[in-house]
Amino acid sequence: MSRQIRHTAVFCLLLLVALFANAVRVQGVQAGRLDGHPGNVRPSVQRFGAPRGDILVGGSPVTGSRDTRQRLRYERTYTQGPLYAPVTGFASQTYGSTGLEGAEDGVLSGSDPRLGTLLGESSPHGLGRGGRVVTTLDASAQRAAYAGLAGRRGAVVAVEPASGRILALVSSPSYDPGELSGTGDQVRDAWTRLNDADTQPMLNRALRGTYPPGSTFKIVTAAAALESGVVKDPGAPSGIPSPYRLPGTRTSLPNEADGCDDASLEYAITWSCNTVMAGLGVKVGLAGMLDTVERFGFNDASLRVPSAVAKSTFDRHMGEDQLALSSIGQFDTTATPLQMAMVSAAVANGGVLRHPRLVDRTTTADGRLVTHEPDRTYERVMSPSTASELRRMMVDVVRSGTGGRAALKGATVGGKTGTAQHGVANKGLPYAWFIAWAQAKHAAWPGVAVAVVVEDAEADRADITGGGVAAPIAGSVMRAALAGGDGGAAGR
């Protein structure tokens, strides 16, 4: 009998050893793989088990959380979802997170350890109360941009030149991110519908759309010509004929405007002479052009605001004929609306480009500071004297040139129109561009810089011009921004 008991005891001991070994294997060796297994729903249950922190505009939340009483308990909700979708992105139980929802997920979800430290709390699961993300947006400027586009394909970005704070960021047509918050057939149907739509409502055109910038790029070329010494007197004849034959080819570059033959840089900017600006780009040379364009932010694949930004491009290897076209914003030159707002902001801020940013600060749910985003210099793009010359020329564009529809009563406005060709043999309807800045009457410096692009396939070709379509939108956004801020009194 005692022998049987001993055998049973040994067998039970072996079972205990086997259980212990299996526990070590599962909880130690295989823990990471099992945690990430698609069938493991515990992380999702934990993640959506508490309300998510809010994203704020002008002190008011534009997001919320809804208690579903389901296993994944809290779904994200959005106030005026389409208006702010390019900023917030979406937080979906099915498709993950984008925009600020993704870039600031640690704070919003409560997983950022700094939140627990500030509150004197700790969570065994690494999740505490979700914090808040306070944006730099001006609500009135955002609404003006959204209303100005009126559902047409395009984008608007407005920046405060002295700080880099993004005041408006709109992409159109937009979508309601709340449609993607939960799970189930309805959410999957919405995802399919939005992704299959010809209008691409989920494309963030403001940050991820890249377009030929057309004549708005002439401000960059003018900066390069002045900084390199190719142009010493902006009012002097350029020596560049019209029409201008592209170097090494039999192709002549035409002008839409009259009076461009041997025109000065001042005249070429005011009336958008292709020939003068293409010729100046060739005289500056590829190395000189690259030095200037990259100071503005072109070819920078690392830019974050903190949402990811598509790279704006200017080819590093090309012949003189291609350089001529690139210098007027054609050939392979591409830019996001944010990039062109940065161009305008650098001119407005005396040649100093501030790093653009969408987040002012993050806080705990009860308002205690977690992080504060400081103003940062991206680059000294040009000398103050060059920036001053460019501001004067951009003012002439609005006062007597192609940008008159952006003028604001009681403010000084500088701008540059652009009508960018695209498509096979440039037969696609052109994109309408306008970049600008505005300075309130008694302000020391411009308070807002803006870029607008409209890609409207339904409009008459004759109506798709930067001055006719995009300039009025820019004017309304700048008016709203100046009314809501200090007009640039803080200076640089």
Side-chain angles (χ1 to χ4, degrees), residues 452-469:
V452 179
V453 64
V454 180
E455 40 166 316
D456 187 358
E458 301 300 323
D460 266 347
R461 188 183 185 95
D463 292 336
I464 305 179
T465 62
V469 173

Side-chain angles (χ1 to χ4, degrees), residues 218 260 263-273 276-277 416:
K218 291 172 182 174
C260 290
S264 67
L265 176 61
E266 289 178 347
Y267 188 93
I269 291 295
T270 303
W271 296 104
S272 208
C273 297
V276 172
M277 302 312 299
K416 183 69 190 79

Side-chain angles (χ1 to χ4, degrees), residues 223-236:
L226 290 166
E227 286 290 284
S228 66
V230 166
V231 173
K232 293 181 172 61
D233 179 2

Side-chain angles (χ1 to χ4, degrees), residues 35 40-50 106 109-113 116 121-129:
D35 280 345
N40 182 15
V41 299
R42 291 183 65 187
S44 294
V45 171
Q46 175 187 325
R47 178 179 178 81
F48 299 106
S109 68
S111 63
D112 190 317
E121 299 173 351
S122 63
S123 169
H125 306 294
L127 287 175
R129 296 170 61 193

Side-chain angles (χ1 to χ4, degrees), residues 4-372:
Q4 292 175 334
I5 293 173
R6 284 197 302 272
H7 286 171
T8 302
V10 170
F11 179 69
C12 291
L13 180 61
L14 290 174
L15 289 177
L16 287 172
V17 170
L19 286 171
F20 178 75
N22 188 60
V24 170
R25 180 180 64 86
V26 171
Q27 297 184 23
V29 178
Q30 296 183 333
R33 183 173 63 83
L34 292 174
D35 280 345
H37 193 280
N40 182 15
V41 299
R42 291 183 65 187
S44 294
V45 171
Q46 175 187 325
R47 178 179 178 81
F48 299 106
R52 192 169 172 83
D54 283 322
I55 297 171
L56 276 64
V57 174
S60 299
V62 297
T63 57
S65 294
R66 181 175 70 89
D67 189 348
T68 66
R69 306 292 181 183
Q70 304 297 315
R71 192 176 191 185
L72 302 183
R73 185 162 178 177
Y74 287 94
E75 282 184 8
R76 195 55 148 165
T77 61
Y78 296 87
T79 303
Q80 302 176 77
L83 174 62
Y84 292 109
V87 176
T88 63
F90 60 77
S92 172
Q93 294 177 350
T94 305
Y95 298 108
S97 302
T98 61
L100 288 185
E101 294 277 28
E104 297 290 350
D105 182 68
V107 170
L108 295 168
S109 68
S111 63
D112 190 317
R114 292 171 296 182
L115 295 170
T117 300
L118 285 168
L119 293 169
E121 299 173 351
S122 63
S123 169
H125 306 294
L127 287 175
R129 296 170 61 193
R132 290 184 160 195
V133 173
V134 181
T135 71
T136 59
L137 294 180
D138 179 300
S140 59
Q142 183 81 0
R143 289 193 296 269
Y146 188 79
L149 286 171
R152 292 174 291 183
R153 298 186 211 189
V156 179
V157 179
V159 177
E160 184 178 67
S163 67
R165 297 169 67 247
I166 295 174
L167 305 176
L169 193 141
V170 168
S171 177
S172 177
S174 190
Y175 70 102
D176 183 358
E179 289 188 290
L180 305 176
S181 292
T183 59
D185 291 343
Q186 192 172 359
V187 171
R188 286 190 288 272
D189 289 346
W191 176 263
T192 300
R193 170 173 50 81
L194 291 169
N195 278 285
D196 289 349
D198 292 338
T199 55
Q200 296 180 283
M202 293 182 69
L203 170 63
N204 189 337
R205 289 171 164 86
L207 299 180
R208 304 294 300 171
T210 55
Y211 306 86
S215 291
T216 59
F217 190 82
K218 291 172 182 174
I219 296 299
V220 178
T221 302
L226 290 166
E227 286 290 284
S228 66
V230 166
V231 173
K232 293 181 172 61
D233 179 2
S238 64
I240 298 171
S242 178
Y244 171 77
R245 180 171 291 181
L246 297 177
T249 76
R250 295 183 178 180
T251 303
S252 292
L253 188 66
N255 289 297
E256 297 287 339
D258 296 325
C260 290
D261 186 43
D262 195 25
S264 67
L265 176 61
E266 289 178 347
Y267 188 93
I269 291 295
T270 303
W271 296 104
S272 208
C273 297
N274 290 331
T275 53
V276 172
M277 302 312 299
L280 288 178
V282 172
K283 287 185 177 183
V284 171
L286 180 58
M289 285 296 296
L290 277 170
D291 179 65
T292 297
V293 301
E294 292 184 353
R295 287 176 184 270
F296 276 108
F298 285 83
N299 296 335
D300 183 357
S302 66
L303 186 62
R304 301 288 186 274
V305 292
S307 304
V309 181
K311 181 173 72 172
S312 298
T313 60
F314 189 88
D315 280 3
R316 291 192 170 108
H317 305 282
M318 52 182 153
E320 286 191 336
D321 57 329
Q322 298 164 336
L323 177 59
L325 292 173
S326 297
S327 298
I328 59 172
Q330 297 290 165
F331 185 54
D332 287 339
T333 303
T334 64
T336 63
L338 174 65
Q339 174 63 75
M340 296 314 296
M342 291 166 65
V343 168
S344 186
V347 174
N349 199 44
V352 177
L353 176 59
R354 298 295 192 183
H355 200 294
R357 58 187 175 90
L358 263 173
V359 175
D360 182 70
R361 61 190 183 277
T362 61
T363 73
T364 62
D366 60 1
R368 276 178 271 188
L369 186 67
V370 178
T371 63
H372 180 265

